[in-house]
Amino acid sequence: MARATPHWLHEIDHTADVGINVTAPDRNTLYERAALGTFGVLTDLTTVEERMSKKVTVEASDPERLMVRWLSELNFLHTTKHLLFSRFDVEVSGPDDALTLRAACHGEPIDRDRHPVYTEIKAVTYHDMKIQHHDNIWEVQVIFDL
C-alpha cells in the first residue's frame, strides 16, 4: 500500500513498533503535522474527506506531554468513535509549563470500503520523544506502540 510521504515526515524503523519524525516551521504546525503523520500510519489520508469537524482541547505541563495527550486523544477518537481525520487547525497557547492545545479536526467516520486500515495504534509513547526548536525548525519524534 502506497503511503504519502511529504518532505516534513519520515517514518522511523523501530523494533515491533512504528515511529514518525516530523519537522515544521512553527509550533502549531508541528502539532498539526504530528497528527497528520499519526493518521498516515493508520490509513491513506488521500481517501479521507472532510465531512465533519470535531473540537479537541488538551492541556499539559510540558510540550512532550502535550504531544502525547494530543495524539492519544486523536487515537481515542479513532478507536472508540471510528473517526479518521485529514486536516487539523491547531492553536497552542501558554507558557511551556502550562500549555493548552485547541484544535478543529476535520475528517469522517471510517468507511471500510474506501479507507484502507494499515494498522492500529495501541498507545502513543514517551519513548525517545523530544520536541526541539533549532534554526527556525521545530522537530519531534514520536514512537507508537502497535
Side-chain angles (χ1 to χ4, degrees):
M1 288 180 246
R3 295 182 186 194
T5 53
H7 73 283
W8 47 263
L9 175 66
H10 301 283
E11 197 165 299
I12 300 167
D13 289 330
H14 196 273
T15 306
D17 293 324
V18 66
I20 57 173
N21 182 282
V22 175
T23 58
D26 58 67
R27 184 169 64 177
N28 291 341
T29 305
L30 183 72
Y31 285 86
E32 290 173 8
R33 288 179 175 178
L36 285 170
T38 301
F39 279 91
V41 168
L42 298 171
T43 192
D44 177 356
L45 291 179
T46 64
T47 67
V48 181
E49 298 177 9
E50 295 181 27
R51 296 182 178 190
M52 47 79 65
S53 294
K54 179 94 177 143
K55 301 276 187 196
V56 172
T57 300
V58 292
E59 299 174 335
S61 59
D62 63 64
E64 288 81 9
R65 201 173 306 266
L66 188 69
M67 183 65 76
V68 169
R69 287 188 177 164
W70 161 234
L71 299 179
S72 295
E73 179 65 20
L74 295 175
N75 192 47
F76 174 79
L77 292 170
H78 168 70
T79 58
T80 62
K81 307 290 185 191
H82 310 290
L83 299 175
L84 293 170
F85 300 107
S86 60
R87 187 169 65 87
F88 304 89
D89 299 316
V90 172
E91 181 178 334
V92 177
S93 60
D96 277 356
D97 63 347
L99 292 163
T100 300
L101 181 151
R102 290 181 179 81
C105 309
H106 309 280
E108 64 178 320
I110 294 173
D111 178 343
R112 300 275 180 193
D113 292 333
R114 292 187 302 113
H115 303 127
V117 178
Y118 299 143
T119 190
E120 295 290 330
I121 295 173
K122 288 184 197 170
V124 180
T125 74
Y126 288 97
H127 181 72
D128 288 340
M129 179 182 285
K130 182 168 184 152
I131 295 177
Q132 298 178 323
H133 182 215
H134 53 85
D135 301 326
N136 295 320
I137 301 290
W138 289 78
E139 183 173 8
V140 67
Q141 174 177 293
V142 182
I143 304 295
F144 303 107
D145 181 18
L146 301 181

